């Protein structure tokens, strides 16, 4: 290039032999969808609209499944109930089961919480490197298809194991799940010609003789309210004692207090025969009609 500012001077550019000339004719430029009439379509709006429609169908199907099999599977958490078995909603059962294995709990709890929760994100990050083929059919994409099938089988198996283990624990502890207990109460109400009980909107019967020593002294010392509630309104997995005189006789109440029933422990030896008789007499007076 010239160093003088002469407007008539001709500028000549000389190529550098050290720089190789790129042959762009060998670079294959993929044709767009218009090159395949009848075999392809535009991404916007045709392909994107199909994706949205598939998403809507999946979402509607998922909502129908949730409505037909609603959560919860068990009782809400209750720190006063020693028989409470914590359980997540059904769509987290596989993670719940996975975190119970030795390598994801105890001394490895950090690995379980951070490692297992990071597996989905790591898999998504590695997906472009693991599956580099251009084939779209799933049976010609062995890595991606195998990972997908392995994930589905693992989720179904772990959910099944977790649910069966939960059923075994309920049977061992003699606990009836909340949704089954509600169903039984609803069937009993329908059989009696009464409206179905609505949780949280059920009118509690009034307590009869609330100042009786059988309640203020004996039942308080025996920690009955720890499970049945301060007002005997019942707790998680424990029955309401208000109105129990309508369904249980004094003799039945004495037998339950003495020998226990379900989760309720036996009070024989903890309470005297006279105290058990006083409590059963007072409970037999708890009737809705009064």
């Amino acid at each position: 290039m010239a160093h003088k500012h002469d407007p008539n001077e001709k500028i000549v550019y000389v190529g550098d032999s050290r720089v190789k000339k790129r042959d762009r004719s060998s670079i294959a430029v993929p044709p767009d969808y218009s090159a395949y009439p009848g075999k392809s379509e535009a991404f916007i709006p045709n392909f994107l609209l199909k994706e949205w429609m598939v998403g809507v169908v999946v979402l509607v199907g998922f909502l129908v499944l949730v409505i037909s099999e609603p959560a919860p599977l068990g009782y809400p958490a209750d720190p006063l109930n020693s028989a409470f078995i914590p359980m997540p909603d059904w769509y987290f059962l596989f993670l719940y089961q996975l975190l119970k294995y030795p390598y994801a709990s105890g001394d490895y709890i950090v690995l379980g919480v951070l490692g297992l929760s990071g597996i989905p994100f790591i898999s998504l990050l590695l997906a472009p490197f693991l599956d580099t083929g251009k084939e779209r059919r799933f049976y010609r994409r062995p890595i991606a298809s195998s990972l997908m099938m392995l994930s589905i089988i693992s989720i179904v198996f772990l959910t099944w194991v977790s649910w069966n283990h939960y059923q075994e624990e309920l049977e061992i502890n003699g606990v009836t799940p909340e949704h089954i207990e509600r169903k039984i109460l609803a069937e009993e109400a329908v059989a009696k010609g009464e409206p179905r009980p609505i949780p949280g909107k059920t009118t509690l019967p009034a307590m009869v003789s609330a100042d009786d020593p059988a309640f203020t002294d004996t039942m308080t010392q025996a920690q009955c309210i720890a499970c049945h509630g301060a007002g005997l309104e019942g707790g998680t997995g424990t029955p309401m004692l208000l109105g129990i005189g309508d369904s249980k006789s004094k003799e039945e109440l004495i037998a339950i207090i003495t020998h226990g029933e379900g989760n309720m422990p036996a009070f024989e030896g903890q309470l005297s025969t006279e105290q058990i008789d006083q409590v059963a007499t007072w409970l037999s007076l708890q009737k809705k009609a009064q």
Side-chain angles (χ1 to χ4, degrees), residues 14-129:
V14 179
D16 190 343
S17 60
R18 295 171 299 179
V19 179
K20 296 182 179 179
K21 182 180 179 181
R22 298 183 60 182
D23 185 9
R24 297 184 180 275
S25 61
S26 60
I27 300 176
V29 179
D32 61 3
Y33 74 95
S34 60
Y36 305 93
K39 297 182 179 179
S40 183
E41 57 188 342
F43 182 78
I44 300 176
N46 299 9
F47 189 81
L48 191 58
L49 183 59
K50 290 182 178 178
E51 294 290 317
W52 285 351
M53 291 302 296
V54 172
V56 170
V57 171
V58 172
L59 179 60
V60 170
F62 185 74
L63 291 177
V64 171
L65 179 61
V66 171
I67 293 173
S68 60
E69 296 291 340
L73 296 175
Y75 295 101
D78 185 357
L80 298 178
N81 182 13
S82 59
F84 173 72
I85 303 173
M87 283 290 288
D89 293 335
W90 60 268
Y91 39 84
F92 284 136
L93 281 179
F94 71 100
L95 283 177
Y96 176 69
Q97 181 63 29
L98 201 58
L99 290 173
K100 288 194 294 185
Y101 290 119
Y103 53 78
S105 60
D107 296 336
Y108 302 98
I109 187 64
V110 177
L111 175 64
V113 173
L114 299 180
L116 295 181
S117 59
I119 286 179
F121 298 99
I122 296 175
S123 300
L124 289 175
L125 290 174
L126 295 179
F129 304 98

Side-chain angles (χ1 to χ4, degrees), residues 154-256:
S154 300
I155 290 173
V156 173
F157 175 73
L158 291 173
T159 302
W160 178 80
V161 172
S162 180
W163 175 248
N164 278 274
H165 186 225
Y166 177 61
Q167 295 291 326
E168 292 175 358
E169 289 185 332
L170 291 177
E171 187 175 354
I172 293 173
N173 292 282
V175 177
T176 303
E178 184 185 35
H179 64 287
I180 296 179
E181 192 173 69
R182 289 181 181 181
K183 182 180 179 181
I184 294 174
L185 293 175
E187 292 175 351
E188 291 177 352
V190 171
K192 295 178 182 178
E194 299 175 355
R196 293 174 179 270
I198 301 175
K201 295 184 179 180
T202 305
T203 302
L204 299 179
M207 183 182 294
V208 180
S209 302
D211 56 348
D212 193 293
F215 173 64
T216 57
D217 297 339
T218 307
M219 295 186 69
T220 302
Q221 293 174 5
Q223 297 294 320
C224 298
I225 60 175
C227 297
H228 293 281
L232 303 183
E233 70 277 9
T236 303
T238 55
M240 178 179 67
L241 298 182
L242 299 174
I244 194 172
D246 291 325
S247 58
K248 302 287 185 184
S249 64
K250 177 183 174 180
E251 290 71 22
E252 292 175 324
L253 292 169
I254 289 176
I256 294 174

